Amino acid sequence: MNPRNPDHIVVGVIDYNFPSVTSYVSIDGGQTWEGPFQVKYLQRDLGTGGDPVVGFDRKGNAYYAMLSIGEEEFRVGPYVVVDLVSSVAVSTSSDGGRAWSEPISAARSDIKLRRSFIDEAGRLRGQISFEFIDKPWMAVGPDKLNPNEDAVYVTYTEFATVYEIFYSGELAFLANPVVETTIKLVKGTNQGRAWTAPVAVSPTVVRQFGPGAGQKRVLQGSNVAVAPDGTVYVAYLDTLDDGEMRGLAEIK
């Protein structure tokens, strides 16, 4: 809802008629609607991943956050493999949610080597981490460092599936996966044109696989809000080591 005009509402939706997410606009408190208006995903990506979130600043500018899905190549020994990566893409609208700017990546996942080294046979050893950003949420509110301006805060879950690199002869393969999850936050200023590096809101927790796996913990579903004094609050679900959801989860 536009704080300058409470009858002005923008809704973000996943619309399966289009390759991207869309917005709908009402200027009479929700009695009638205009749209759909398409919101672009990042130019180098394959398409949208959904999860739309909409907000307004005090000046009446609208913001639209969503997932944008791309792909990255990585190499293990002689093999090149392609895997999906994701961004939280943020667009802005100065005309009330009808026309949206080219999106900017507020945060993007990656494929990373960890504790890697080359063994005596010249083969890559260590771990590979496949990251994926999921379930963003967004809030717009006073910037504590500049109270006369609003900042854009986006939280999300970073999933990192980590594999050990093994070899059978010259054949490389990945094994012993664990999934690490962390709730992270990025802050956008200058109407979403500039973004900070991600900071961890939560600890990083681990889910293991296989018989006898002792850790089954996952974080997800973050929600962010900004108080009038610029204090930022984040809530999220922590499953604890809950297995098949026996009711041990907590809201942190």
Side-chain angles (χ1 to χ4, degrees):
M1 186 183 70
N2 186 346
R4 299 170 68 93
N5 176 8
D7 286 332
H8 179 194
I9 304 167
V10 177
V11 174
V13 301
I14 302 171
D15 191 331
Y16 292 105
N17 294 298
F18 301 106
S20 189
V21 289
T22 60
S23 67
Y24 289 81
V25 177
S26 174
I27 57 174
D28 55 13
Q31 296 183 64
T32 61
W33 293 88
E34 305 170 41
F37 303 103
Q38 288 196 62
V39 185
K40 299 175 183 178
Y41 49 86
L42 297 174
Q43 286 189 11
R44 60 175 175 160
D45 280 352
L46 305 174
T48 185
D51 290 351
V53 195
V54 183
F56 275 96
D57 65 20
R58 284 174 285 179
K59 297 179 180 179
N61 298 303
Y63 298 83
Y64 199 120
M66 62 162 180
L67 290 181
S68 184
I69 308 298
E71 60 184 14
E72 298 287 346
E73 292 184 352
F74 69 98
R75 181 181 294 274
V76 180
Y79 307 105
V80 176
V81 182
V82 176
D83 197 44
L84 294 178
V85 293
S86 58
S87 289
V88 180
V90 178
S91 293
T92 60
S93 174
S94 59
D95 70 350
R98 299 171 181 86
W100 295 93
S101 68
E102 286 289 338
I104 293 175
S105 178
R108 189 167 181 86
S109 66
D110 201 358
I111 302 169
K112 298 176 181 175
L113 290 173
R114 297 188 184 182
R115 298 191 291 274
S116 62
F117 63 96
I118 304 299
D119 66 14
E120 64 279 0
R123 299 175 299 190
L124 177 68
R125 298 281 187 173
Q127 298 176 326
I128 291 184
S129 172
F130 299 88
E131 297 175 359
F132 195 86
I133 288 173
D134 194 26
K135 291 290 184 293
W137 201 255
M138 178 177 65
V140 185
D143 185 344
K144 200 150 195 167
L145 301 178
N146 187 8
N148 293 324
E149 298 291 333
D150 285 338
V152 184
Y153 298 92
V154 175
T155 59
Y156 56 88
T157 306
E158 181 186 88
F159 287 88
T161 304
V162 184
Y163 293 88
E164 300 280 349
I165 303 172
F166 291 93
Y167 291 86
S168 176
E170 294 301 315
L171 178 64
F173 64 96
L174 306 177
N176 299 337
V178 298
V179 175
E180 301 174 349
T181 51
T182 313
I183 303 298
K184 293 192 172 183
L185 177 144
V186 288
K187 174 185 175 182
T189 54
N190 191 19
Q191 296 184 4
R193 297 184 183 93
W195 291 88
T196 63
V199 296
V201 175
S202 72
T204 297
V205 304
V206 173
R207 179 183 177 119
Q208 296 174 315
F209 298 91
Q215 295 176 292
K216 302 178 181 180
R217 193 173 172 188
V218 175
L219 308 178
Q220 182 60 295
S222 64
N223 196 302
V224 58
V226 188
D229 68 351
T231 301
V232 179
Y233 295 87
V234 180
Y236 59 89
L237 174 72
D238 185 340
T239 68
L240 305 180
D241 285 332
D242 201 11
E244 297 304 320
M245 295 293 184
R246 293 185 296 271
L248 302 181
E250 296 180 347
I251 302 295
K252 298 291 182 66

